């Protein structure tokens, strides 16, 4: 699906442009998967293959904001491997602060998404103006999501409730 999404984000059928985006998308996924599988080995002394799928997704998320920007090696390293490492430490962080995220969705989509958005400003060579625009966009997205989620959860809390009973939780 990601190839259709990123390839379609070219908004044209211009084969070289679409092909380039497909290559950078694949390279980012590869870099993320390898980095997320190897990072626990380097840090903790043993590989954790269960992190590889999150690394692949982290690389895909990391490239999505600007798949036409980096070179293939930039896609592999900057937009793939770095999110692969980030997702590993992010999962550990959210586990440590006891955020219930069993599949690492916050780390993959939230943390790697923010990084990927910012990476547009430096994955093809540093561009301060573009980086600033990306940072403003990321901040706007974070603020919007927080406010909307807060309002919706407060409405749910006073109407239906947001917790299940202890019996349902155990079950």
């Amino acid at each position: 699906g990601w190839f259709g999404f990123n390839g379609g984000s070219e908004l044209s059928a211009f084969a070289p442009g679409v092909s380039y985006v497909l290559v950078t998308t694949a390279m980012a996924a590869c870099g993320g998967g390898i980095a997320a599988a190897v990072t626990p080995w380097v840090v903790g002394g043993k590989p954790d293959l269960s992190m590889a799928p999150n690394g692949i997704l982290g690389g895909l998320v990391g490239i999505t904001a600007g798949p036409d920007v980096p070179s293939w090696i930039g896609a592999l390293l900057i937009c793939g491997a770095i999110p692969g490492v980030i997702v590993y430490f992010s999962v550990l962080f959210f586990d440590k602060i006891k955020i219930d995220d069993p599949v690492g969705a916050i780390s993959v989509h939230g943390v790697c998404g923010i990084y990927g958005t910012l990476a547009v400003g430096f994955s093809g060579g540093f561009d301060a103006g573009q980086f600033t625009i990306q940072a403003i966009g990321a901040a706007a997205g974070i603020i919007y999501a927080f406010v909307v989620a807060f309002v919706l959860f407060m409405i749910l809390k006073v109407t239906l409730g947001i917790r299940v009973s202890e019996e349902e939780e155990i079950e």
Side-chain angles (χ1 to χ4, degrees), residues 103-123:
V103 296
I106 297 168
S107 299
V108 168
H109 296 283
V111 177
C112 290
I114 293 166
Y115 170 80
T117 300
L118 296 174
V120 173
F122 59 81
S123 62

Side-chain angles (χ1 to χ4, degrees), residues 82-158:
I82 292 174
V85 172
I86 288 171
V87 77
Y88 171 73
F89 287 107
S90 180
V91 165
L92 292 180
F93 171 75
F94 286 113
D95 284 348
K96 184 175 183 145
I97 63 170
K98 303 209 187 302
I99 298 291
D100 187 18
D101 186 15
V103 296
I106 297 168
S107 299
V108 168
H109 296 283
V111 177
C112 290
I114 293 166
Y115 170 80
T117 300
L118 296 174
V120 173
F122 59 81
S123 62
F126 186 74
D127 179 343
Q130 186 64 49
F131 183 81
T132 301
I133 290 167
Q134 296 303 119
I136 292 168
I142 292 166
I143 292 166
Y144 175 79
F146 179 82
V147 169
V148 170
F150 185 82
V151 169
L152 289 174
F153 275 101
M154 287 300 110
I155 291 169
L156 283 171
K157 185 176 182 179
V158 298

